[in-house]
Amino acid sequence: MKSFFNDERRMLLYTYLLLIAMFGNLSLLQQPFDTKAVILGVVMALLLGYAHFVIGRFFSDGDKYLMLFAFILSMIGIVTMYRIDPSVAIKQLIWFTLGVVAYVLVVVVLPDLKSFSKYKYVYLAGVIVFMAMATLIGVEKFGSKNWVQFGPISFQPSEIGKLFLVAYLSSALKDYNGSVKSLIEPALIVMYSLGFMVIQKDLGSALIFFGISVTMLYLSTNKLKYIVTTFILAGVGATLSYKLFDHVRVRVAIWLDPWADAYNKGLQIVQGLFAMASGGLLGAGLGKGYPGFIPVNTSDFIFAVICEEMGLLMGFGIMILFFLMFYRSMRAAIYVEDKFSQMMAVGYAAMFATQVLVIIGGVMNAIPLTGVALPFVSYGGSSMLTSFFALGIIQKISEEG
């Protein structure tokens, strides 16, 4: 126990040292001194102290590292955004603050999660509403109709929808009895969700929902034949999407040869690859790169900007942090006894893992590019709030275990 507290405090100290180093460096980019960068750093330090005190003081049985991982990732993202556009970083700090508050409230306010397993049809209603919302009243951005706007407020309904999808699948699969009949309804709901994502041309969300569903299906049934069948159906669906939608064919063509149209449709991929290559292992240095050459540099391609200025080592560090977050989330699922809570932890862990693989794979041109946010790092209020809400649920489950 003493060693655990020492490790936790050491990790907290390293986080504060990283915060001081990054925001200190940021404040020196302008002469004589950038006070706004210092204020941002102080606010983040206070938020970290507040969240760590509440969780550590009153909920000492849970995982102490999940919040630190999320904080470091968010800090790297906000520092990078401030270097590109300070106004974007300030907005992201507001969303980060709201996310931390949501995370703490989930842990503090929610009772034992096993009592929520009976609300399956409430979660089902949430899936039905939010998956279809952008199709009915959405607006198109960057080729995908996956945004809904009410006055000055815009958000992605699919971000909320994936929270409901995990909760629904957890409630539906916790009582799996070995019969195929019990899987029909969940399968239809997953197909419903994927269908609307294809119609909205939101291929990134479709891949994330597929990853979540396959992971939860396998862990609940432990039958490989269901997974093989799922991948066969997914292959058929992907082929049909390729045949029916020009948007899909363009993404695949860019993936196969981004240099064929390097100054137009392949510009983002090409500039991202140039940025990562020019940064090398150690990076050009904060403030010494050229993020303006990358079209969408605060959201989809922020990973390329980070690699250019802070090096591929920082990129590897980000991936390691996400892996550790996934590991700690799965660890929480192993130790909790309630099946509903287990499935929730697995589902949200798969959500983070799939989302990271999809966006980093797209930026590095390992898979066709899809416009999804890198959790905690990319700019976006919808992504930040849903990520912290999901992390709060995992934190609550680690308390139960």
Side-chain angles (χ1 to χ4, degrees):
M1 183 64 71
K2 183 178 179 181
S3 174
F4 171 78
F5 281 115
N6 288 337
D7 290 342
E8 179 196 341
R9 289 171 181 170
R10 192 179 299 116
M11 180 73 178
L12 183 63
L13 175 62
Y14 291 154
T15 304
Y16 272 117
L17 290 175
L18 181 62
L19 185 148
I20 293 169
M22 296 193 77
F23 281 97
N25 193 350
L26 201 61
S27 67
L28 297 175
L29 293 180
Q30 293 185 12
Q31 297 300 328
F33 197 71
D34 191 347
T35 55
K36 288 183 181 178
V38 176
I39 293 172
L40 253 67
V42 171
V43 171
M44 292 203 73
L46 292 174
L47 286 170
L48 174 59
Y50 157 74
H52 187 268
F53 171 77
V54 172
I55 301 300
R57 176 70 175 81
F58 300 103
F59 300 91
S60 57
D61 292 332
D63 196 300
K64 301 302 184 300
Y65 296 100
L66 287 172
M67 182 196 64
L68 292 175
F69 296 152
F71 185 90
I72 294 171
L73 292 166
S74 301
M75 177 175 60
I76 294 170
I78 290 174
V79 166
T80 307
M81 288 173 212
Y82 191 88
R83 178 265 178 277
I84 298 170
D85 185 347
S87 63
V88 173
I90 292 171
K91 292 177 185 176
Q92 184 74 347
L93 180 64
I94 294 171
W95 288 117
F96 172 74
T97 304
L98 294 174
V100 171
V101 171
Y103 167 82
V104 173
L105 286 177
V106 167
V107 178
V108 172
V109 174
L110 286 185
D112 198 334
L113 285 180
K114 66 178 68 173
S115 61
F116 288 87
S117 63
K118 58 187 177 183
Y119 300 116
K120 180 175 75 169
Y121 291 105
V122 174
Y123 309 138
L124 175 59
V127 172
I128 292 173
V129 170
F130 285 104
M131 295 303 183
M133 185 180 292
T135 303
L136 302 176
I137 59 173
V139 294
E140 187 169 315
K141 291 185 180 182
F142 305 113
S144 300
K145 190 180 178 182
N146 58 349
W147 288 86
V148 169
Q149 189 154 355
F150 295 106
I153 300 174
S154 61
F155 68 99
Q156 287 182 285
S158 60
E159 288 287 333
I160 304 172
K162 65 187 178 185
L163 295 178
F164 280 105
L165 180 63
V166 171
Y168 165 75
L169 290 176
S170 300
S171 183
L173 295 175
K174 71 178 179 65
D175 296 324
Y176 171 71
N177 56 12
S179 67
V180 178
K181 185 178 180 181
S182 62
L183 298 176
I184 293 176
E185 184 186 281
L188 291 175
I189 298 305
V190 171
M191 291 172 64
Y192 170 89
S193 303
L194 294 176
F196 273 109
M197 293 305 102
V198 172
I199 293 171
Q200 295 168 20
K201 302 177 184 177
D202 189 357
L203 305 181
S205 294
L207 285 173
I208 293 167
F209 296 158
F210 177 75
I212 292 170
S213 304
V214 168
T215 304
M216 296 182 72
L217 175 65
Y218 180 71
L219 289 179
S220 63
T221 65
N222 200 29
K223 291 187 177 181
L224 188 60
K225 63 180 181 181
Y226 292 154
I227 306 305
V228 173
T229 303
T230 302
F231 272 97
I232 292 173
L233 292 175
V236 173
T239 303
L240 290 175
S241 298
Y242 180 83
K243 298 289 186 182
L244 293 175
F245 298 106
D246 292 336
H247 182 71
V248 179
R249 290 196 292 273
V250 169
R251 292 290 178 93
V252 173
I254 294 171
W255 168 56
L256 293 174
D257 188 7
W259 312 100
D261 196 6
Y263 295 100
N264 187 16
K265 294 176 181 178
L267 177 64
Q268 190 159 255
I269 287 287
V270 169
Q271 292 297 339
L273 293 174
F274 276 141
M276 289 186 287
S278 65
L281 197 62
L282 300 178
L286 191 62
K288 295 184 178 180
Y290 299 93
F293 291 154
I294 303 174
V296 189
N297 51 21
T298 59
S299 53
D300 294 4
F301 268 68
I302 195 170
F303 184 78
V305 178
I306 292 170
C307 289
E308 180 184 16
E309 298 205 338
M310 303 183 203
L312 291 173
L313 281 179
M314 180 63 81
F316 292 141
I318 288 172
M319 289 188 280
I320 290 171
L321 284 173
F322 277 119
F323 172 77
L324 291 173
M325 183 180 290
F326 175 77
Y327 161 72
R328 303 294 296 191
S329 301
M330 296 298 288
R331 183 175 180 272
I334 291 172
Y335 282 102
V336 74
E337 295 182 358
D338 176 56
K339 186 66 179 291
F340 175 73
S341 298
Q342 284 181 344
M343 296 302 297
M344 288 271 280
V346 168
Y348 289 132
M351 181 186 80
F352 286 129
T354 308
Q355 196 161 333
V356 171
L357 291 173
V358 166
I359 186 57
I360 292 182
V363 170
M364 300 182 73
N365 205 38
I367 61 173
L369 178 63
T370 56
V372 298
L374 186 61
F376 304 107
V377 181
S378 296
Y379 174 72
S382 303
S383 175
M384 184 66 80
L385 289 176
T386 54
S387 296
F388 266 111
F389 185 88
L391 197 70
I393 295 292
I394 297 172
Q395 180 71 40
K396 189 71 178 180
I397 292 168
S398 73
E399 292 283 339
E400 295 177 9

